[in-house]
Amino acid sequence: MKYAEVQNCIGGAFVSPDAPKLDVYDPSSGRILSRVPLSSARDVDAAVIAAHAALPGWSGTPIKERVQVLYRYKTLLEKHIDELAALVTEENGKITSEARAEVLKSAELTEFACSLPQLVTGEVLEVSRGVECRVEHYPVGVVASVTPFNFPIMVPNWSIPNAIALGNCMILKPSELVPLSARRIVELLQEAGLPPGVLQVVHGGQEAVEAICDHPGIAAVSFVGSTKVAQIVYRRATSHLKRCLALGGAKNHLIVMPDADREMAATNIVASMSGCAGQRCMAASVMVAVADTEHVITRMAEVARAMVPGTDVGPVISAAALERITRYIDEAEAAGATIVVDGRGTKVAGREEGYYIGPTIIDHVTPDMRIAQEEVFGPVLVIVRAKDVSEALEIENASPYGNAASVFTESGSVARYVMEHASAGMVGVNVGVPVPREPFSFGGWNDSRFGVGDITGKGSIGFWTQAKKMTTKWNKEAGVNWMS
Ligand code: NAD
């Protein structure tokens, strides 16, 4: 084992819970990197106690002082980018450029949190003579963040900087598949001056998450992961009357019009479907090819075939994921779809035990096929044909998901039409991965998000705070009126 057993962090100290352990694998080699504890409700309780102990001091610290920690943390993320990116590559498998992008994005998320003092200044107005109303934002209290495997550093940083800048104390439950990065996040925050107890890390799986949903000492739960688990977590947390924002899976449709710029469309679409081995909730999954788009498809196939697994495309997360993705492709082929580019059976020299699958493009898929409807979460793009933009939008709208959608066209009116009518929370024009960047918020619609608000950007302020409305009258001459 390259790394010591993963530990929880409670009240600023790293501790080993008395819990069963799970092996942690390097997806590029299949080798065991470490072991992660599957924490219990007792461990969650210890984290909640530590968070509550820190809460009065932290929430009582002025926000301008709190964000000083985050300024330093941002600098530390940048300073340690090579080391952090290498760790992400090791535990998640993504290639170095993708791992570095994840760290850079974490710095951008932290930069936004540093700007929160300018955004939560509150409001004040004299509402009648001598009477003043003001609104101030208060922390929610002890909150939790449950995160998935596909961004071991970035997704925890969707929630941590904003939640703690706004005065909350947090319990992070990272994915048990990628638990190593969380320790470095905590260590860098500690180095930046974060007081003990403001951020706890509890490792584990279902049992720990259920304990987070059930614990009366946790006021809010943010979740990012698959739709199936997002629904479970949303239902369970809200059944205990706590606020919950649960982001789920995706099936993103990219509509390609015949007038699309061939090179721009082909390169952006292939980058979207193959980046991070297709394991992004914003990845292109279904291309809806409108009328004659053969020129784009031919070029896409060239671009995808030129990609070198192991260099341009990393492995998928696990042997089970590789098997699931391969099964989807086999099934589509058996149902009559055409495999244009086939990534099955990929082997990388020297890493033969790694979980590799090359970019795969499948044409003549029909909307009723399983591969056109379900999230595959691998470097696989299916092409569904449509006669016009209305039919393309019907196909997009029929998906129960609603994370992202894009259109590739040179026509402003078609672009606007798709932006208005796509049933997705994040839409793009000539962009393969339409992720909004700060200060804009990230968040989908439909079965890609349960709960109100967004997880990042300005939209997250409402989730991580509660507004207090204050009405005051000091002016004795103000008298009494119908509102008194
Ligand atoms: P997952 O749902 O399997 O796991 C997410 C988290 O839930 C992990 O921390 C895991 O330990 C926990 N968990 C798993 N099963 C549980 C259960 N039964 N009860 C309670 N907790 C449970 O997701 P994953 O495989 O780690 O991540 C991939 C998924 O995440 C994809 O569906 C992807 O689209 C989605 N995702 C969505 C977004 C978004 O913003 N919408 C972003 C990233 C990833």
Side-chain angles (χ1 to χ4, degrees):
M1 248 172 37
K2 177 167 177 187
Y3 295 99
E5 249 172 38
V6 175
Q7 292 179 301
N8 288 346
C9 182
I10 310 287
F14 289 97
V15 293
S16 296
D18 179 16
K21 310 281 182 326
L22 200 68
D23 291 335
V24 180
Y25 293 93
D26 172 350
S28 76
S29 65
R31 275 199 293 269
I32 294 174
L33 285 172
S34 181
R35 277 148 56 85
V36 60
L38 297 175
S39 303
S40 65
R42 206 178 49 246
D43 304 312
V44 170
D45 191 48
V48 174
I49 290 169
H52 273 284
L55 187 63
W58 184 246
S59 61
T61 302
I63 186 168
K64 280 169 83 82
E65 268 179 53
R66 288 194 300 251
V67 299
Q68 297 311 312
V69 173
L70 296 168
Y71 278 106
R72 293 190 287 272
Y73 173 61
K74 176 183 180 285
T75 308
L76 289 169
L77 286 171
E78 288 159 346
K79 183 174 158 197
H80 291 274
I81 184 166
D82 293 337
E83 171 222 330
L84 293 167
L87 192 54
V88 168
T89 294
E90 226 171 357
E91 66 174 340
N92 170 279
K94 54 182 79 172
I95 60 172
T96 303
S97 57
E98 294 164 349
R100 287 179 67 85
E102 170 163 352
V103 181
L104 290 171
K105 180 67 195 176
S106 301
E108 182 175 79
L109 290 154
T110 308
E111 180 184 303
F112 174 76
C114 292
S115 74
L116 281 167
Q118 331 310 326
L119 296 174
V120 292
T121 51
E123 294 169 45
V124 60
L125 184 73
E126 186 185 40
V127 289
S128 58
R129 197 171 298 273
V131 179
E132 178 191 285
C133 276
R134 68 162 64 218
V135 178
E136 291 181 13
H137 297 279
Y138 279 72
V140 182
V142 171
V143 300
S145 173
V146 179
T147 56
F149 78 80
N150 62 332
F151 285 93
I153 291 190
M154 184 191 78
V155 173
N157 278 301
W158 276 359
S159 54
I160 297 169
N162 289 359
I164 65 178
L166 292 166
N168 301 285
C169 290
M170 175 171 270
I171 293 152
L172 172 71
K173 205 302 284 173
S175 164
E176 63 275 39
L177 301 179
V178 292
L180 300 171
S181 297
R183 181 176 183 120
R184 291 299 290 138
I185 292 174
V186 173
E187 286 172 343
L188 294 181
L189 277 164
Q190 287 179 341
E191 193 179 334
L194 192 72
V198 177
L199 176 64
Q200 276 49 241
V201 181
V202 176
H203 289 283
Q206 182 173 346
E207 190 180 341
V209 177
E210 287 176 356
I212 284 171
C213 293
D214 296 348
H215 201 297
I218 297 176
V221 179
S222 83
F223 171 90
V224 182
S226 61
T227 290
K228 181 176 146 233
V229 182
Q231 286 172 337
I232 292 170
V233 168
Y234 185 78
R235 288 201 176 101
R236 192 152 179 156
T238 56
S239 79
H240 290 285
L241 307 178
K242 46 186 82 170
R243 59 174 77 176
C244 182
L245 181 59
L247 272 56
K251 190 78 185 166
N252 304 314
H253 288 62
L254 272 53
I255 297 174
V256 180
M257 301 302 294
D259 69 343
D261 180 272
R262 176 176 181 262
E263 197 59 24
M264 179 155 72
T267 51
N268 276 274
I269 294 168
V270 173
S272 175
M273 58 79 75
S274 64
C276 300
Q279 300 172 123
R280 287 187 289 193
C281 64
M282 296 296 280
S285 187
V286 178
M287 167 175 161
V288 189
V290 176
D292 183 11
T293 41
E294 296 310 314
H295 53 299
V296 179
I297 295 171
T298 312
R299 182 70 188 125
M300 280 167 47
E302 284 169 11
V303 175
R305 280 195 200 102
M307 298 186 85
V308 181
T311 304
D312 302 319
V313 195
V316 294
I317 190 68
S318 62
L322 180 59
E323 196 193 312
R324 183 195 70 236
I325 297 161
T326 307
R327 210 171 37 241
Y328 270 113
I329 302 170
D330 293 346
E331 202 182 288
E333 188 176 34
T338 312
I339 314 291
V340 180
V341 181
D342 193 349
R344 288 173 294 184
T346 293
K347 289 281 172 221
V348 173
R351 284 177 270 168
E352 285 77 7
E353 302 306 312
Y355 315 131
Y356 287 97
I357 176 161
T360 299
I361 299 178
I362 311 177
D363 201 354
H364 303 294
V365 168
T366 51
D368 58 322
M369 289 183 191
R370 217 161 66 91
I371 200 167
Q373 296 175 355
E374 298 177 9
E375 184 176 38
V376 177
F377 223 52
V380 179
L381 181 78
V382 301
I383 303 174
V384 174
R385 305 289 178 142
K387 63 177 183 310
D388 54 26
V389 72
S390 304
E391 192 185 357
L393 277 165
E394 263 172 42
I395 293 166
E396 190 280 335
N397 284 189
S399 172
Y401 295 101
N403 220 37
S406 257
V407 59
F408 287 81
T409 181
E410 297 282 276
S411 158
S413 63
V414 170
R416 180 70 209 171
Y417 188 76
V418 172
M419 281 198 285
E420 273 180 30
H421 292 93
S423 181
M426 294 171 279
V427 293
V429 176
N430 298 321
V431 177
V433 184
V435 172
R437 289 182 62 174
E438 281 53 40
F440 301 101
S441 301
F442 186 99
W445 280 8
N446 310 331
D447 284 1
S448 294
R449 186 201 57 177
F450 304 96
V452 177
D454 289 311
I455 197 159
T456 66
K458 286 186 191 174
S460 74
I461 295 170
F463 186 72
W464 297 121
T465 61
Q466 45 193 343
K468 190 173 275 186
K469 285 72 71 178
M470 303 166 173
T471 305
T472 54
K473 178 164 65 183
W474 293 106
N475 179 349
K476 295 181 183 60
E477 293 75 51
V480 174
N481 65 17
W482 63 276
M483 271 295 292
S484 296

